[in-house]
DNA sequence: TTAATATGCAACCATTTGGTTGCATGTCAA
DNA sequence: TTGACATGCAACCAAATGGTTGCATATTAA
């Protein structure tokens, strides 16, 4: 729910890589995800916990394995609620800056 | 240029607040920006340096003051290049998860 | 049943982060 | 010219971060 958790989760390149990996192949087990990462399984587990906290990943226990699923909803919420705000002001902001820079010379 | 710097810059709530503040009123001086923040000027300076590194903020020296301008381009680049990817897979991913969850019961 | 496999958990560690204080420098105004 | 004001810079600090190792537990397969 908290946008802060999502931003924080997306800040780390390893975690974005995990999301990418799940985007390519959804439902991977912890071991499968670890195979692509250059770190210990325990480190990957911690990253996945942070992604789960941000509600970007959901897990399902399957026997002794654990499948991981991508939930893109929080990413879209950020896009809608936060990024959209700056997108609307894009051209105006650039125009203002340009004017200022020209006046500077 | 580096998307990583942008993600990292956006991860901190104080920095997002600074961007919000500049979005409301562009071209604010360091002192003006500090007035809204609950920390020392030096701390704000550090945050602004990180935003500048991510190319999210540009500055212009005006005498003894420094004006800060929002540059929304990197935010839009993230939206286009990275977020868009997950947006497209949104419905499918949710569908997959639902199927899995139903099969689980 | 027993061994291998998949994951969980905790302690520990180095580095980064986000903040502070103190002082230096440059510019404007009286 | 001199004092006030806006910013810059460096040292320092506590806490968070990202990683490790070691061991425990649960499930599957031989």
């Amino acid at each position: 729910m908290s946008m802060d958790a999502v931003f924080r989760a997306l800040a780390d390149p390893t975690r974005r890589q995990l999301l990418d990996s799940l985007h390519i192949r959804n439902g991977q087990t912890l071991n499968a995800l670890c195979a692509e990462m250059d770190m210990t399984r325990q480190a990957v587990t911690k990253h996945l916990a942070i992604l789960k906290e941000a509600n970007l990943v959901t897990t399902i226990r399957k026997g002794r394995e654990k499948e991981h699923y991508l939930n893109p909803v929080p990413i879209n919420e950020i896009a809608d609620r936060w990024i959209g705000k700056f997108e609307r002001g894009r051209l105006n902001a650039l125009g203002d800056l340009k004017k200022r820079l020209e006046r500077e010379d």
Side-chain angles (χ1 to χ4, degrees), chain A residues 30-88:
Chain A
L30 174 58
N31 251 0
L33 288 168
C34 286
E36 312 174 32
M37 306 294 156
D38 196 21
M39 64 186 66
T40 61
R41 170 181 56 83
Q42 288 89 334
V44 176
T45 301
K46 286 190 187 178
H47 284 298
L48 287 169
I50 291 172
L51 289 170
K52 200 173 177 183
E53 192 132 349
N55 202 29
L56 285 161
V57 162
T58 318
T59 60
I60 299 174
R61 196 71 202 240
K62 279 275 166 63
R64 67 179 162 183
E65 296 187 334
K66 201 172 186 179
E67 295 178 347
H68 295 76
Y69 290 89
L70 172 66
N71 178 25
V73 174
I75 295 179
N76 288 284
E77 283 180 0
I78 279 187
D80 294 344
R81 295 190 196 166
W82 202 81
I83 293 181
K85 173 170 61 181
F86 292 98
E87 201 152 23
R88 282 190 288 278

Side-chain angles (χ1 to χ4, degrees), chain A residues 6 10 16 60 67 87 100 103:
Chain A
V6 181
L10 294 181
R16 292 198 303 276
I60 299 174
E67 295 178 347
E87 201 152 23
R100 289 283 188 166
R103 211 186 307 165

